[in-house]
Amino acid sequence: MKHQNEITYTERDGILYPDLSLPEQTDCPIGKYGQMRLDYLKEHRRGTYTTLLTEGRLLAHLSAIDQEARSQVEYLTAELAKKRGITKERKVADPLRWVQEMNSAKQSAEEIVLNEIIYN
């Protein structure tokens, strides 16, 4: 019977090599924010990245971060639009201005999310 922590070896040319493999990970989609989190972990949080990878939790973590970030950007954009008075009436009256203001609100929301969720 093989124990969970027991390591098996393969011999090649008289040298024993451990049979190591990473655990299977769930197939989770990662979007823009998940990819940004992955890049951040690889560059600035190597220990966390390695732990998540070797425990088979990396893709689930990135997917959860992506979903949370997208949800927060959407929520904060709506809140900022409300605070700034960006209304549907303005959209009808001056569509170009409305797009500019909504883009500004989304940029502000993304900046908050990047600092609080992605780069944390």
Side-chain angles (χ1 to χ4, degrees):
M1 174 190 277
K2 181 179 173 183
H3 297 288
Q4 183 177 0
N5 294 332
E6 185 178 326
I7 298 175
T8 59
Y9 295 87
T10 302
E11 182 180 347
R12 277 187 252 140
D13 299 326
I15 300 173
L16 292 176
Y17 294 95
D19 298 323
L20 302 176
S21 63
L22 293 173
E24 291 293 319
Q25 296 196 41
T26 57
D27 187 23
C28 301
I30 59 169
K32 170 186 172 179
Y33 301 109
Q35 187 62 50
M36 292 170 84
R37 177 69 173 173
L38 176 61
D39 294 342
Y40 174 75
L41 289 175
K42 282 181 174 180
E43 186 153 332
H44 300 286
R45 298 281 190 263
R46 292 289 298 169
T48 301
Y49 168 75
T50 303
T51 300
L52 290 169
L53 180 65
T54 56
E55 291 178 355
R57 299 183 300 133
L58 181 62
L59 292 179
H61 170 78
L62 297 174
S63 181
I65 289 289
D66 186 70
Q67 289 174 348
E68 180 182 358
R70 280 188 288 120
S71 174
Q72 284 297 312
V73 166
E74 188 177 308
Y75 171 77
L76 290 171
T77 300
E79 288 297 307
L80 290 170
K82 190 186 307 181
K83 283 183 182 179
R84 296 176 182 180
I86 306 169
T87 62
K88 291 185 181 194
E89 292 79 22
R90 183 175 290 177
K91 181 179 182 179
V92 172
D94 191 355
L96 188 58
R97 176 88 175 163
W98 181 86
V99 168
Q100 290 172 333
E101 290 176 352
M102 285 302 292
N103 284 342
S104 175
K106 184 176 179 187
Q107 252 184 330
S108 297
E110 278 192 328
E111 189 174 323
I112 292 167
V113 167
L114 291 177
N115 288 321
E116 292 183 2
I117 298 174
I118 306 298
Y119 304 137
N120 191 356

